Amino acid sequence: NAGVTQTPKFQVLKTGQSMTLQCAQDMNHEYMSWYRQDPGMGLRLIHYSVGAGITDQGEVPNGYNVSRSTTEDFPLRLLSAAPSQTSVYFCASSQDRHAAQGVTGELFFGEGSRLTVL
Amino acid sequence: GDSVTQMEGPVTLSEEAFLTINCTYTATGYPSLFWYVQYPGEGLQLLLKATKADDKGSNKGFEATYRKETTSFHLEKGSVQVSDSAVYFCALTNDMRFGAGTRLTVKP
């Protein structure tokens, strides 16, 4: 039972480079989201999606793009990486999509992707 | 806006000690409240939840009660084990806000 799968687990980038963090879930969840985790700040929501073709911004969207072409996949793109984007990134999904702005139920998390931007 | 405030860590306890991790919140409406746990090298996983006032969530010996009058959802465990060492996050729905996390270390 795979759940939420994130790749890569580790990545080092140089300032200005671009990359995509992949996220896939096999639970047929409509809601998917990306968080970043920084020391002392908990998790902050970057972008989320309540279904294929629908995405919206979270608390810290600047510098990140997302798309949702299928129910299963929700990639996060960094177009021009900056040192401030050094963080651990988590993808999460949920079967609940009660409100357009978010989720009312349990989130299922991937194992995280540690990104370092030099 | 909605927010969650957790007690700052780290917290270090001896095995079998009593644990309390404080969590308070500000929110509009009647959110559901959650505690998530993150073990070393892993993603977060749900520990317990409560969906309305006075509900008590419980799991693995941990408990938390949804107190609307004090806007709190404190996490408690009567006797911690070394295996409980992890980072604990309080969270609420309404954009799924998370607290900063509290790192717990339990020593034998």
XYZ file of all heavy atoms in Angstrom, chain A residues 40-87:
355
model
N 11.220 25.815 13.704
C 10.514 26.820 14.495
C 9.276 27.387 13.844
O 8.586 28.226 14.434
N 8.953 26.938 12.629
C 7.807 27.519 11.920
C 6.745 26.484 11.569
O 5.759 26.816 10.939
C 8.279 28.236 10.656
C 9.316 29.310 10.937
S 9.660 30.350 9.536
C 8.175 31.321 9.486
N 6.961 25.272 11.934
C 5.975 24.249 11.631
C 5.850 24.018 10.147
O 6.814 24.172 9.394
N 4.669 23.647 9.708
C 4.403 23.433 8.296
C 3.603 24.605 7.753
O 2.636 25.043 8.376
C 3.600 22.143 8.085
C 4.391 20.855 8.001
C 4.931 20.459 9.353
C 3.533 19.743 7.434
N 4.008 25.075 6.605
C 3.285 26.152 5.949
C 2.811 25.693 4.573
O 3.583 25.126 3.800
C 4.168 27.404 5.843
C 4.465 28.048 7.188
C 5.333 29.286 7.021
N 6.678 28.952 6.560
C 7.565 29.830 6.141
N 7.237 31.114 6.093
N 8.766 29.439 5.749
N 1.578 25.993 4.281
C 0.951 25.539 3.048
C 1.417 26.377 1.865
O 1.346 27.607 1.898
C -0.569 25.619 3.195
C -1.419 25.144 2.031
C -1.208 23.653 1.795
C -2.887 25.435 2.305
N 1.882 25.698 0.809
C 2.382 26.390 -0.379
C 1.266 26.510 -1.423
O 0.882 27.601 -1.835
C 3.578 25.648 -0.983
C 4.691 25.469 0.057
C 4.119 26.401 -2.205
C 5.820 24.557 -0.409
N 0.793 25.374 -1.882
C -0.312 25.308 -2.846
C -1.159 24.093 -2.520
O -0.680 23.151 -1.901
C 0.206 25.150 -4.284
C 0.785 26.383 -4.890
N 0.016 27.433 -5.340
C 2.076 26.713 -5.136
C 0.813 28.368 -5.844
N 2.058 27.966 -5.735
N -2.389 24.116 -2.997
C -3.239 22.950 -2.815
C -4.167 22.790 -4.011
O -4.295 23.691 -4.843
C -4.044 23.038 -1.506
C -5.059 24.167 -1.458
C -6.379 23.949 -1.819
C -4.688 25.434 -1.025
C -7.314 24.957 -1.759
C -5.614 26.454 -0.970
C -6.925 26.218 -1.328
O -7.851 27.225 -1.276
N -4.803 21.623 -4.065
C -5.711 21.320 -5.165
C -6.866 20.493 -4.617
O -6.657 19.565 -3.842
C -4.982 20.530 -6.257
O -5.901 19.990 -7.184
N -8.090 20.832 -5.047
C -9.266 20.076 -4.597
C -9.780 19.149 -5.693
O -10.861 18.578 -5.563
C -10.382 21.000 -4.076
C -9.900 21.747 -2.841
C -10.846 21.964 -5.146
N -9.013 19.009 -6.759
C -9.385 18.070 -7.808
C -8.595 18.347 -9.070
O -7.953 19.410 -9.192
N -8.627 17.419 -10.005
C -7.908 17.591 -11.263
C -8.344 18.874 -11.950
O -9.543 19.163 -12.054
C -8.140 16.388 -12.163
N -7.366 19.650 -12.386
C -7.620 20.899 -13.081
C -7.849 22.094 -12.188
O -8.041 23.217 -12.679
N -7.817 21.892 -10.852
C -8.098 22.978 -9.907
C -6.928 23.118 -8.935
O -6.565 22.164 -8.250
C -9.372 22.692 -9.092
C -10.551 22.386 -10.020
C -9.693 23.867 -8.177
C -11.765 21.846 -9.282
N -6.329 24.302 -8.906
C -5.274 24.561 -7.926
C -5.494 25.931 -7.305
O -6.170 26.789 -7.887
C -3.870 24.522 -8.557
O -3.759 25.571 -9.529
C -3.595 23.180 -9.227
N -4.907 26.135 -6.144
C -5.034 27.426 -5.478
C -3.826 27.649 -4.588
O -3.100 26.706 -4.247
C -6.317 27.498 -4.654
C -6.833 28.933 -4.521
O -6.043 29.881 -4.796
O -7.991 29.106 -4.134
N -3.617 28.928 -4.222
C -2.462 29.285 -3.431
C -2.727 29.086 -1.948
O -3.834 29.304 -1.458
C -2.087 30.747 -3.692
C -1.669 31.011 -5.128
C -1.302 32.466 -5.348
O -1.518 33.311 -4.491
N -0.746 32.764 -6.500
N -1.655 28.729 -1.249
C -1.716 28.659 0.194
C -1.075 29.879 0.827
O -1.142 30.985 0.295
N -0.411 29.645 1.935
C 0.156 30.737 2.727
C 1.438 31.311 2.123
O 1.690 32.520 2.208
C 0.452 30.194 4.132
C 0.905 31.207 5.158
C 1.213 30.552 6.502
O 0.987 29.318 6.642
O 1.688 31.256 7.405
N 2.259 30.459 1.493
C 3.572 30.893 0.981
C 3.779 30.420 -0.457
O 4.661 29.609 -0.740
C 4.718 30.401 1.900
C 4.735 31.165 3.202
C 4.605 28.895 2.145
N 3.011 30.936 -1.437
C 3.085 30.412 -2.792
C 4.199 30.965 -3.678
O 4.512 30.380 -4.722
C 1.732 30.826 -3.365
C 1.431 32.125 -2.662
C 1.992 31.968 -1.264
N 4.790 32.098 -3.280
C 5.728 32.779 -4.178
C 6.955 31.923 -4.469
O 7.594 31.394 -3.569
C 6.151 34.112 -3.579
C 4.999 35.103 -3.531
O 4.002 34.929 -4.227
N 5.121 36.108 -2.685
N 7.287 31.820 -5.772
C 8.450 31.048 -6.188
C 8.139 29.610 -6.554
O 9.033 28.863 -6.953
N 6.866 29.236 -6.412
C 6.452 27.848 -6.684
C 5.260 27.827 -7.641
O 4.372 28.662 -7.562
C 6.030 27.146 -5.404
C 7.023 27.189 -4.285
C 6.939 28.177 -3.296
C 8.048 26.247 -4.187
C 7.840 28.230 -2.261
C 8.951 26.285 -3.133
C 8.847 27.278 -2.178
O 9.743 27.312 -1.145
N 5.269 26.826 -8.519
C 4.127 26.578 -9.395
C 3.650 25.146 -9.226
O 4.439 24.242 -8.925
C 4.504 26.779 -10.864
C 4.553 28.239 -11.253
O 4.157 29.110 -10.473
N 5.026 28.506 -12.441
N 2.354 24.935 -9.436
C 1.806 23.584 -9.390
C 0.822 23.406 -10.550
O 0.352 24.375 -11.143
C 1.062 23.287 -8.070
C 2.022 23.229 -6.897
C -0.041 24.315 -7.831
N 0.528 22.153 -10.835
C -0.515 21.805 -11.787
C -1.130 20.490 -11.334
O -0.512 19.727 -10.575
C 0.042 21.674 -13.205
O 1.036 20.664 -13.241
N -2.338 20.207 -11.778
C -3.016 18.961 -11.387
C -3.769 18.445 -12.618
O -4.947 18.700 -12.820
C -3.997 19.238 -10.245
C -4.654 17.977 -9.696
C -3.930 17.411 -8.533
N -4.551 16.212 -7.995
C -5.494 16.222 -7.045
N -5.926 17.365 -6.555
N -5.979 15.081 -6.609
N -3.040 17.709 -13.432
C -3.649 17.183 -14.652
C -4.353 15.847 -14.410
O -5.240 15.462 -15.182
C -2.592 17.022 -15.751
O -1.543 16.191 -15.288
N -3.981 15.130 -13.356
C -4.637 13.873 -13.007
C -4.959 13.873 -11.517
O -4.391 14.661 -10.752
C -3.761 12.654 -13.313
O -2.628 12.683 -12.431
C -3.275 12.655 -14.761
N -5.839 12.989 -11.104
C -6.146 12.872 -9.678
C -4.924 12.417 -8.886
O -4.720 12.821 -7.752
C -7.295 11.864 -9.466
O -8.446 12.339 -10.153
C -7.621 11.688 -7.993
N -4.074 11.576 -9.502
C -2.977 10.942 -8.779
C -1.769 11.848 -8.538
O -1.065 11.678 -7.561
C -2.504 9.699 -9.553
C -3.523 8.578 -9.640
C -4.594 8.854 -10.686
O -4.354 9.664 -11.600
O -5.684 8.249 -10.569
N -1.493 12.775 -9.449
C -0.206 13.480 -9.435
C -0.357 14.971 -9.145
O -1.282 15.621 -9.649
C 0.504 13.297 -10.777
C 0.774 11.840 -11.077
O 1.475 11.207 -10.265
O 0.276 11.342 -12.103
N 0.591 15.500 -8.380
C 0.557 16.924 -8.026
C 1.994 17.418 -7.907
O 2.530 17.567 -6.815
C -0.212 17.102 -6.713
C -0.538 18.527 -6.376
C -1.074 19.386 -7.313
C -0.344 19.002 -5.084
C -1.396 20.699 -6.995
C -0.666 20.309 -4.749
C -1.191 21.158 -5.701
N 2.661 17.709 -9.018
C 4.055 18.142 -8.961
C 4.213 19.589 -8.519
O 3.348 20.436 -8.798
C 4.524 17.963 -10.413
C 3.267 18.086 -11.226
C 2.164 17.518 -10.387
N 5.310 19.866 -7.844
C 5.654 21.217 -7.391
C 6.899 21.664 -8.142
O 7.928 20.999 -8.105
C 5.935 21.213 -5.882
C 6.354 22.547 -5.270
C 5.149 23.494 -5.213
C 6.928 22.344 -3.869
N 6.801 22.813 -8.797
C 7.911 23.308 -9.623
C 8.544 24.549 -9.010
O 7.837 25.469 -8.591
C 7.408 23.645 -11.026
C 6.908 22.429 -11.786
C 6.484 22.791 -13.207
N 5.914 21.634 -13.891
C 4.617 21.276 -13.776
N 3.795 21.998 -13.056
N 4.196 20.213 -14.425
N 9.864 24.522 -8.956
C 10.638 25.701 -8.586
C 11.268 26.206 -9.882
O 12.096 25.522 -10.482
C 11.726 25.372 -7.582
C 11.311 25.119 -6.132
C 10.567 23.801 -5.987
C 12.516 25.180 -5.225
N 10.883 27.387 -10.332
C 11.332 27.869 -11.635
C 12.733 28.447 -11.580
O 13.507 28.310 -12.524
C 10.353 28.904 -12.171
C 8.929 28.393 -12.410
C 8.036 29.501 -12.926
C 8.933 27.211 -13.375
N 13.080 29.104 -10.477
C 14.399 29.706 -10.311
C 14.732 29.656 -8.825
O 14.351 30.544 -8.072
C 14.400 31.147 -10.827
O 15.673 31.746 -10.645
N 15.421 28.597 -8.425
C 15.614 28.331 -7.003
C 16.419 29.432 -6.313
O 17.361 30.002 -6.888
C 16.305 26.983 -6.822
N 16.037 29.691 -5.064
C 16.727 30.667 -4.223
C 17.100 30.010 -2.899
O 16.424 29.064 -2.463
C 15.826 31.873 -3.969
N 18.163 30.488 -2.232
C 18.552 29.895 -0.939
C 17.416 29.879 0.080
O 17.370 28.981 0.936
C 19.717 30.784 -0.494
C 20.324 31.257 -1.774
C 19.150 31.479 -2.704
N 16.502 30.846 -0.007
C 15.363 30.888 0.926
C 14.403 29.710 0.745
O 13.538 29.476 1.593
C 14.590 32.196 0.758
O 14.068 32.280 -0.568
N 14.572 28.986 -0.345
C 13.727 27.822 -0.589
C 14.353 26.525 -0.060
O 13.770 25.446 -0.222
C 13.409 27.685 -2.075
C 12.551 28.832 -2.584
C 12.262 28.749 -4.076
O 13.188 28.682 -4.899
N 10.994 28.748 -4.431
N 15.495 26.638 0.597
C 16.064 25.490 1.296
C 15.110 25.087 2.409
O 14.796 25.892 3.280
C 17.442 25.845 1.876
O 18.349 26.083 0.804
C 17.967 24.727 2.766
N 14.650 23.843 2.359
C 13.611 23.416 3.288
C 13.352 21.924 3.086
O 13.934 21.288 2.209
C 12.327 24.211 3.022
O 11.344 23.938 4.002
